[in-house]
């Protein structure tokens, strides 16, 4: 039986009777990241060969986003996508550690499109287990009336997670508990965490700040304290409620001991009794003062509140631009690396330069790896980098570098950590939007001794002459095979192959005029799709 859509589990009975289908699902494994990140406040869009301080990920505050939109399971629930346009998507993946798919159903299973989009970027995906109000209290009475039933529920949660290949759960009990069941709840959290890690070593269970583990009363604490500390100790982290004050954060730090980064301070983008909307950065500024992690709830506010969905990308960029100084940019490290920069939707579908369908489409599994910073951090009316719908080699859109008509403009596409041990194969496919475009491709590299140098090649002059020369002592073009190849519909392939031992840490382009980037491929050894 083929699964065509992912839906939640709504009752205890349904959970206990759940069985996996025989077929495997088209889910991508969680991809690796480098063991260091770059502080967003140190990232400069147009600074050549960025050399900010590298920060080891161990000990860095984390960023979680919790997707809550109109009850969930909208057109994102379809495994093979849908014919629709102007749907919500997310593309600032480099600054996210964990993605939670949230709904008010008992067990929220993340749709496959979200799992794939997140996993491609090295982001963990959690489902949600939630019980609420009187019905929730009744459900836990049933579960704890027979601990064998409790154990069966935990086993099913693990099976579901393993089958759909997501990475754990947000555990949200928003109902009162009988005092005699408090210990049972703590044991359940711990048991779920232990059994998950036995089969998914990187899995996480995060507790939401709700019911008191001292009294069983539903009292949101907005801080880590004795009411929720036992639950915190039983799992991987706690998601604090949103109505905190700065003194709550001070107390949380004191109570967390050496687990400060496992405290996720809630920020509700809808601003329910807290700072929200485009002012959310003010909350992050306070949270990061104490090196606490952050849980951003309902970031889809940038889409959901718009009457004109065509303005989504503008508002989304405004929102995240303000947050970047308080976030950490993670680094891709897995080869081969390939991206067409598609954001998982399009006004038409393109396959190998050719329009294969004129219907609008939406499929988050088709979202490709996005730039390290997919927006311009300069706050102005001239975005240096953007996404173009309808122009693509494969998918629905591509990357656009907007250039600068007065001065050449250096655009960093990726900060990365691609280790090449023998032969570099590098391909980038571009399309100039004006004749006689001049552009240069830069690769920033560390040699085996950690010394930086760059490779530089591209097109220059009125005759579009190809070059591979260097303009300073730190620029090297090794003994290489390097050429350009005109493809279809104006696309131009730059291809470099050379012997190399080192680490590529930056990919950038300098262009005087607008330039489309349709494909980027990097590998140690084999060529890409154009042999």
């Amino acid at each position: 039986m083929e699964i065509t859509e992912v839906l939640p589990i709504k009752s205890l009975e349904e959970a206990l009777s759940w069985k996996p289908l025989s077929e495997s699902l088209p889910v991508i494994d969680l991809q690796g990241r480098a063991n260091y990140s770059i502080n967003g406040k140190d990232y400069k869009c147009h600074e050549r060969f960025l050399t900010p301080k590298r920060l080891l990920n161990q000990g860095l505050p984390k960023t979680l986003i919790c997707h809550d939109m109109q009850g969930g399971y909208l057109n994102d629930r379809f495994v093979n996508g849908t014919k629709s346009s102007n749907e919500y998507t997310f593309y600032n993946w480099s600054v996210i550690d964990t993605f939670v798919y949230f709904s008010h159903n008992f067990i929220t299973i993340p749709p496959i499109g979200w799992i794939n989009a997140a996993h491609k970027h090295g982001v963990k995906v959690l489902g949600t287990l939630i019980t609420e109000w009187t019905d929730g209290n009744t459900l836990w009475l049933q579960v704890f009336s027979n601990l064998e039933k409790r154990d069966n529920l935990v086993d099913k949660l693990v099976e579901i997670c393993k089958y759909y290949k997501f990475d754990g759960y947000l555990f949200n009990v928003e109902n009162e508990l009988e005092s005699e069941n408090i210990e049972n709840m703590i044991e359940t959290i711990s048991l779920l965490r232990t059994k998950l890690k036995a089969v998914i070593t990187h899995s996480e269970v995060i507790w939401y700040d709700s019911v008191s583990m001292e009294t069983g009363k539903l009292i949101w604490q907005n801080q880590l304290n004795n009411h929720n500390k036992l639950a915190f100790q039983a799992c991987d982290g706690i998601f604090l409620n949103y109505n905190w004050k700065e003194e709550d954060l001070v107390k949380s730090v004191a109570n967390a001991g050496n687990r400060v980064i496992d405290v996720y301070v809630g920020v509700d983008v809808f601003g329910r009794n807290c700072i929200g909307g485009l002012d959310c950065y003010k909350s992050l500024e306070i949270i990061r003062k104490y090196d606490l992690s952050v849980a951003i709830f309902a970031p889809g506010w940038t889409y959901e509140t718009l009457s004109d969905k065509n303005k989504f990308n503008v508002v989304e960029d405004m929102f995240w631009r303000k947050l970047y100084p308080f976030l950490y940019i993670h680094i891709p490290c897995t080869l081969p690396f390939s991206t067409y920069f598609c954001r998982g939707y399009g006004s038409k579908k393109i396959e190998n330069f050719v329009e294969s369908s004129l219907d609008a489409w939406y499929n988050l599994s088709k979202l490709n790896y996005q730039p390290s910073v997919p927006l311009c951090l300069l706050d102005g009316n001239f975005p240096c980098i953007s996404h173009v719908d309808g122009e693509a080699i494969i998918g629905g859109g591509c990357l656009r570098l907007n250039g600068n008509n007065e001065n050449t403009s250096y655009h960093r596409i990726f900060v990365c950590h691609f280790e090449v041990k023998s032969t570099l194969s590098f391909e980038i496919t571009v399309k100039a939007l004006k004749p006689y475009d001049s552009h240069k491709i830069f690769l920033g590299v560390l040699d085996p001794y950690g010394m930086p140098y760059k490779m530089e090649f591209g097109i220059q002059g009125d005759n579009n002459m190809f070059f591979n020369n260097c303009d300073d002592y730190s620029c090297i073009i090794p003994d290489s095979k390097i050429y350009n190849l005109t493809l279809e519909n104006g696309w131009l392939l730059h291809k470099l192959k050379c012997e190399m031992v080192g680490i590529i840490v930056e990919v950038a382009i300098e262009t005087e005029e607008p330039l489309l980037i349709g494909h980027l491929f990097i590998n140690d050894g084999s060529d890409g799709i154009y042999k």
Side-chain angles (χ1 to χ4, degrees), residues 508-521:
I509 293 183
E510 185 176 81
T511 179
E512 297 176 352
E513 301 291 348
L515 188 71
L516 302 184
I517 315 297
H519 184 224
L520 175 66
F521 174 85

Side-chain angles (χ1 to χ4, degrees), residues 298-337:
W301 172 90
T302 55
Y303 172 91
E304 195 172 342
T305 56
L306 289 176
S307 56
D308 182 0
K309 304 302 186 190
N310 290 315
K311 295 180 179 178
F312 164 64
N313 286 333
V314 174
V315 179
E316 178 81 347
D317 288 355
M318 288 173 61
F319 177 82
W320 286 96
R321 182 182 296 117
K322 293 183 175 185
L323 299 189
Y324 263 88
F326 312 107
L327 304 175
Y328 297 91
I329 300 167
H330 294 283
I331 310 295
C333 66
T334 303
L335 293 177
F337 181 84

Side-chain angles (χ1 to χ4, degrees), residues 403-454:
N404 188 313
N405 291 324
E406 296 179 1
N407 300 294
T408 58
S409 185
Y410 185 87
H411 298 77
R412 184 176 303 98
I413 303 173
F414 287 108
V415 285
C416 48
H417 187 96
F418 296 135
E419 185 174 2
V420 179
K421 298 179 180 179
S422 59
T423 304
L424 170 64
S425 293
F426 178 89
E427 299 175 8
I428 189 165
T429 309
V430 305
K431 179 191 281 192
L433 297 183
K434 292 185 178 181
Y436 309 119
D437 165 70
S438 295
H439 58 266
K440 299 178 182 178
I441 292 102
F442 294 89
L443 298 182
V445 184
L446 297 179
D447 71 15
Y449 303 99
M451 296 299 294
Y453 67 94
K454 64 183 178 180

Side-chain angles (χ1 to χ4, degrees), residues 57-62 232 236-237 256-264 291-294:
N57 292 334
Q58 187 174 5
L60 280 185
K62 293 170 283 191
F232 174 66
D236 297 288
N258 62 0
R259 292 186 61 199
V260 171
I261 64 169
D262 295 332
V263 178
Y264 295 81
D291 288 331
L292 290 158
S293 295
V294 64

